[in-house]
């Protein structure tokens, strides 16, 4: 299993796009197909969700040789934006923004980073009622600009 795939699994796990159980099910299928890769074997022997999460957290911090980190991260951001949406802005927005920031950190694009700073500040100021726009409006602007960046990205 190459390091790009390991990184992809780890990042998706960290932002909730895949569960530990789904990763273990994938590994079980690979074993049944005759894939005896050490990575696949390691996953099969993990006993709990916490062990899977810990394994991938350590793996991402290891010295992986990721060839397409930016492209993988952009695709994960697209998937995250299309599949995840905070149903309750008061309770889920912080985690949503944190997840987007984590993905974007791996993209490492200065324009995208600037957008994050601007719109997370705008969301925070809307929360504090310093701005006249609502948190929902600030969040919608945030998403609109992230989607626009993704559409104009030359890496996809």
């Amino acid at each position: 299993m190459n390091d790009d795939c390991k990184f992809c699994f780890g990042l998706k796990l960290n932002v909730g796009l895949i569960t530990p159980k789904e990763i273990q099910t994938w590994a079980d299928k690979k074993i049944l197909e005759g894939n005896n890769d050490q990575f696949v074997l390691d996953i099969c022997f993990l006993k709990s969700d916490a062990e899977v999460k810990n394994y991938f957290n350590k793996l991402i911090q290891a010295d992986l040789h990721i060839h397409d980190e930016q492209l993988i991260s952009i695709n994960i951001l697209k998937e995250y934006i299309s599949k995840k949406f905070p149903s309750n802005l008061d309770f889920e927005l912080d985690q949503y923004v944190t997840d987007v920031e984590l993905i974007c950190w791996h993209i490492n694009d200065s324009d995208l980073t600037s957008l994050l700073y601007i719109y997370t500040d705008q969301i925070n100021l809307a929360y504090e009622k310093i701005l006249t726009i609502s948190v929902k409006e600030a969040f919608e602007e945030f998403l609109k600009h992230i989607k626009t960046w993704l559409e104009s990205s030359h890496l996809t």
Side-chain angles (χ1 to χ4, degrees):
M1 181 64 49
N2 70 35
D3 286 353
D4 285 2
C5 291
K6 294 173 186 177
F7 169 75
C8 185
F9 270 133
L11 187 54
K12 282 185 170 189
L13 180 64
N14 279 327
V15 299
L17 285 173
I18 193 168
T19 66
K21 181 68 176 158
E22 290 170 322
I23 292 173
Q24 288 183 302
T25 299
W26 169 86
D28 291 343
K29 283 182 185 178
K30 289 294 181 187
I31 292 294
L32 293 174
E33 293 170 1
N35 184 336
N36 293 327
D37 181 271
Q38 186 61 47
F39 173 69
V40 174
L41 290 170
D42 287 346
I43 293 171
C44 287
F45 289 107
L46 299 172
K47 293 179 177 63
S48 68
D49 288 358
E51 284 184 9
V52 173
K53 288 178 182 179
N54 188 42
Y55 176 82
F56 276 94
N57 284 335
K58 287 180 180 177
L59 189 65
I60 284 182
Q61 294 172 3
D63 190 20
L64 294 178
H65 299 289
I66 306 163
H67 300 295
D68 294 318
E69 181 175 0
Q70 193 174 43
L71 181 59
I72 292 166
S73 300
I74 288 171
N75 289 327
I76 290 172
L77 180 59
K78 284 181 179 180
E79 183 180 351
Y80 189 85
I81 295 292
S82 71
K83 290 183 176 179
K84 297 277 189 171
F85 192 85
S87 57
N88 185 326
L89 293 180
D90 289 332
F91 299 109
E92 298 171 0
L93 184 57
D94 283 344
Q95 185 60 53
Y96 187 91
V97 170
T98 298
D99 290 345
V100 169
E101 287 175 338
L102 175 63
I103 298 167
C104 291
W105 184 82
H106 290 284
I107 294 172
N108 194 24
D109 179 89
S110 60
D111 292 338
L112 182 58
T113 301
S114 294
L115 283 174
L116 287 174
Y117 288 147
I118 291 166
Y119 290 100
T120 54
D121 284 348
Q122 188 175 30
I123 290 168
N124 289 331
L125 292 171
Y127 260 129
E128 296 171 13
K129 306 226 184 286
I130 294 172
L131 294 178
T132 57
I133 64 171
S134 69
V135 172
K136 183 177 187 260
E137 291 169 319
F139 176 66
E140 288 170 354
E141 280 291 310
F142 171 77
L143 275 184
K144 180 180 95 176
H145 288 281
I146 295 291
K147 288 176 182 178
T148 300
W149 184 89
L150 284 168
E151 289 169 6
S152 67
S153 172
H154 301 292
L155 299 169
T156 56

